[in-house]
Amino acid sequence: MTHLPNKNIYLLGLGALGGLIAAKLHDAFPDSVKIIADLKRQQTIQSGGLTVNGKSISFQFIAPGNGHREADLIIIAVKNAQLAQAIQDIKSFIGENTMIISLLNGISSEEIIGDEIGHKHLLYAYGVGMDAVRDNSGIRYTNPGKIVFGEKDNHELSERVKFVKELFDKAQIPYNIPVDMNRALWSKFMMNTGINQASAVLKAPYGAFQVPGEAYDLMMAAAKEVMELSAHYGVNLNQTDVEDFLRILATLDPAGKTSMLQDVEAGRETEADLFAGTVLAMGKKYNLHAPVNEMLYRRIKSLK
């Protein structure tokens, strides 16, 4: 157990990814880590309990509102549909030097949070390679993946990045700090747009995308449209980025499911607007057609 004196680490969202990260941070810094949740949400979590790979976790909670110590670090791990409320919930914890990490999918959450809270607070981040699944019995995973994070440019690590790096080291959270964070975000966007949406439409686990076939082809067709779009935004994703994505995919549990497939199966709102919706909106500016993403968007929106 590691102590982190006088530091406040708050996390919002205990889904598959958020719960995995929160559990690792709690194990390392039980006195510093708190979950932001209103009283109703606290009672729901406490009554049902939360287990991660079979281990019960007893989190400390803190409700939105005044009278709390300012956060040193806030990690947002909610779904896109909850982002607007999450921004309101963290406002009372923001101090001059509070850092915010958003683990939402897509490439727009940092912009949305920054416009509301202040861009100076943000580090850029996403999770990749984890195969965590959340159900009524808790969270299960075989591969914890890693958090990719940093400033937009990480040729030299800032003090903020060094702080989070030390935090993740002590909590044994795998991570990567790319030199070009914007390119890394686009690469993850390409990955998510392909596999998340194809899995939702085909109701297929990771294993279906690890071998040649219909699922693989659909995933790659959607991802290719993001690659084409990236050239118009000065990012220029290429085959190397695709191969990096495929190497990560090969490490995932074949029986594991993407977050969007889990949303479909649970009857929750999907993040199609974050993926195909964003591709279509950004492509329209350059008269760039994306028929695969347009088809996926319609199909996902019609799923019941």
Side-chain angles (χ1 to χ4, degrees), residues 30 39 82 118 120 125 144 170 176:
L39 294 178
Q82 288 84 50
K120 68 176 184 178
K170 291 179 177 177
N176 181 43

mmCIF file of all heavy atoms in Angstrom, residues 30 39 82 118 120 125 144 170 176:
data_model
loop_
_atom_site.group_PDB
_atom_site.id
_atom_site.type_symbol
_atom_site.label_atom_id
_atom_site.label_comp_id
_atom_site.label_asym_id
_atom_site.label_seq_id
_atom_site.Cartn_x
_atom_site.Cartn_y
_atom_site.Cartn_z
ATOM 1 N N PRO A 30 -5.538 4.192 -0.892
ATOM 2 C CA PRO A 30 -6.900 4.124 -0.341
ATOM 3 C C PRO A 30 -7.342 5.392 0.382
ATOM 4 O O PRO A 30 -8.540 5.681 0.451
ATOM 5 C CB PRO A 30 -6.833 2.937 0.622
ATOM 6 C CG PRO A 30 -5.387 2.804 0.964
ATOM 7 C CD PRO A 30 -4.649 3.197 -0.276
ATOM 8 N N LEU A 39 -25.823 11.016 -3.839
ATOM 9 C CA LEU A 39 -26.192 10.076 -2.784
ATOM 10 C C LEU A 39 -26.950 8.868 -3.320
ATOM 11 O O LEU A 39 -26.737 7.735 -2.872
ATOM 12 C CB LEU A 39 -27.022 10.791 -1.714
ATOM 13 C CG LEU A 39 -26.272 11.859 -0.912
ATOM 14 C CD1 LEU A 39 -27.208 12.536 0.094
ATOM 15 C CD2 LEU A 39 -25.073 11.256 -0.196
ATOM 16 N N GLN A 82 -23.465 10.772 -20.470
ATOM 17 C CA GLN A 82 -23.392 11.325 -19.121
ATOM 18 C C GLN A 82 -22.379 12.465 -18.999
ATOM 19 O O GLN A 82 -22.169 12.996 -17.900
ATOM 20 C CB GLN A 82 -23.012 10.231 -18.117
ATOM 21 C CG GLN A 82 -24.103 9.224 -17.822
ATOM 22 C CD GLN A 82 -24.142 8.100 -18.850
ATOM 23 O OE1 GLN A 82 -23.108 7.506 -19.145
ATOM 24 N NE2 GLN A 82 -25.314 7.808 -19.373
ATOM 25 N N GLY A 118 -12.219 24.944 -18.647
ATOM 26 C CA GLY A 118 -10.950 25.637 -18.886
ATOM 27 C C GLY A 118 -9.929 24.654 -19.436
ATOM 28 O O GLY A 118 -9.629 23.645 -18.800
ATOM 29 N N LYS A 120 -6.810 24.749 -19.707
ATOM 30 C CA LYS A 120 -5.539 24.641 -18.989
ATOM 31 C C LYS A 120 -5.521 23.460 -18.020
ATOM 32 O O LYS A 120 -4.458 22.996 -17.623
ATOM 33 C CB LYS A 120 -5.254 25.919 -18.212
ATOM 34 C CG LYS A 120 -6.203 26.167 -17.030
ATOM 35 C CD LYS A 120 -5.800 27.409 -16.258
ATOM 36 C CE LYS A 120 -6.686 27.591 -15.020
ATOM 37 N NZ LYS A 120 -6.263 28.777 -14.222
ATOM 38 N N ALA A 125 -6.019 11.933 -23.021
ATOM 39 C CA ALA A 125 -5.861 10.534 -22.626
ATOM 40 C C ALA A 125 -6.919 9.645 -23.272
ATOM 41 O O ALA A 125 -7.965 10.112 -23.709
ATOM 42 C CB ALA A 125 -5.952 10.398 -21.103
ATOM 43 N N PRO A 144 -5.480 -5.745 -18.708
ATOM 44 C CA PRO A 144 -5.804 -4.407 -18.221
ATOM 45 C C PRO A 144 -5.529 -3.312 -19.229
ATOM 46 O O PRO A 144 -5.915 -2.162 -19.018
ATOM 47 C CB PRO A 144 -4.882 -4.253 -17.004
ATOM 48 C CG PRO A 144 -3.695 -5.088 -17.344
ATOM 49 C CD PRO A 144 -4.239 -6.273 -18.103
ATOM 50 N N LYS A 170 3.063 3.691 -9.395
ATOM 51 C CA LYS A 170 2.825 3.172 -8.051
ATOM 52 C C LYS A 170 1.540 2.335 -7.974
ATOM 53 O O LYS A 170 1.450 1.408 -7.175
ATOM 54 C CB LYS A 170 2.768 4.320 -7.046
ATOM 55 C CG LYS A 170 4.123 4.989 -6.844
ATOM 56 C CD LYS A 170 4.050 6.152 -5.870
ATOM 57 C CE LYS A 170 5.442 6.745 -5.649
ATOM 58 N NZ LYS A 170 5.411 7.936 -4.767
ATOM 59 N N ASN A 176 1.287 4.602 -21.642
ATOM 60 C CA ASN A 176 2.208 5.025 -22.691
ATOM 61 C C ASN A 176 2.063 6.532 -22.845
ATOM 62 O O ASN A 176 0.940 7.061 -22.751
ATOM 63 C CB ASN A 176 1.891 4.321 -24.012
ATOM 64 C CG ASN A 176 2.841 4.727 -25.119
ATOM 65 O OD1 ASN A 176 4.044 4.831 -24.913
ATOM 66 N ND2 ASN A 176 2.303 4.985 -26.306
#
